Amino acid sequence: MRGHRLLWTGLLIAPFLAVAADTPREIPVVAKNWEYQPNVIELCSGERVRLLIETQDRDHGFEFKAAGVKVKLPKGKVTPVEFTAPAPGTYEFRCAFYCGKGHKGMKGQVVVRNC
């Protein structure tokens, strides 16, 4: 009887593991006061990622040209931004919509490695 339970449990777990492997890694990011926190994001090449970007003070934007991403980030919301990490290298992301006097300096880096 116990052997059947172990086999049955193994059969139930296997489909969940397959789904979990396809799920993007979620990374929380805060956009506020002309900066992103964190301002350096480290990824593995080919990795599926979902940034959960929360804006706290005003509307901002997020542009990551290497992944073809450009979105507006409304104040007080969490915006999911999903993409696949490009080839290894260091890439810039920046605020894509004018947000005030510090807008030009609102930048960060995505560092992509072979993992």
Side-chain angles (χ1 to χ4, degrees):
M1 189 83 141
R2 269 191 170 194
H4 292 286
R5 285 186 189 154
L6 290 176
L7 179 61
W8 180 250
T9 301
L11 290 173
L12 286 176
I13 291 173
F16 294 112
L17 293 176
V19 171
D22 294 335
T23 303
R25 177 166 62 119
E26 293 187 341
I27 301 171
V29 176
V30 174
K32 67 173 186 166
N33 226 11
W34 309 296
E35 69 176 339
Y36 294 97
Q37 296 173 348
N39 67 350
V40 176
I41 300 170
E42 295 188 16
L43 305 174
C44 294
S45 181
E47 179 179 19
R48 290 288 305 154
V49 179
R50 181 181 300 128
L51 302 181
L52 300 173
I53 307 176
E54 177 187 1
T55 57
Q56 295 182 340
D57 57 352
R58 63 182 54 83
D59 289 353
H60 289 286
F62 180 83
E63 182 174 31
F64 181 39
K65 289 183 181 182
V69 173
K70 183 177 182 179
V71 296
K72 188 165 188 174
L73 307 170
K75 176 184 176 183
K77 304 279 184 185
V78 174
T79 304
V81 177
E82 200 166 312
F83 60 90
T84 300
T90 299
Y91 304 91
E92 181 181 275
F93 63 85
R94 65 182 191 87
C95 184
F97 298 95
Y98 183 75
C99 58
K101 67 179 182 175
H103 170 72
K104 282 188 174 187
M106 192 167 174
K107 301 175 186 177
Q109 290 185 330
V110 174
V111 178
V112 182
R113 304 186 196 299
N114 279 322
C115 299

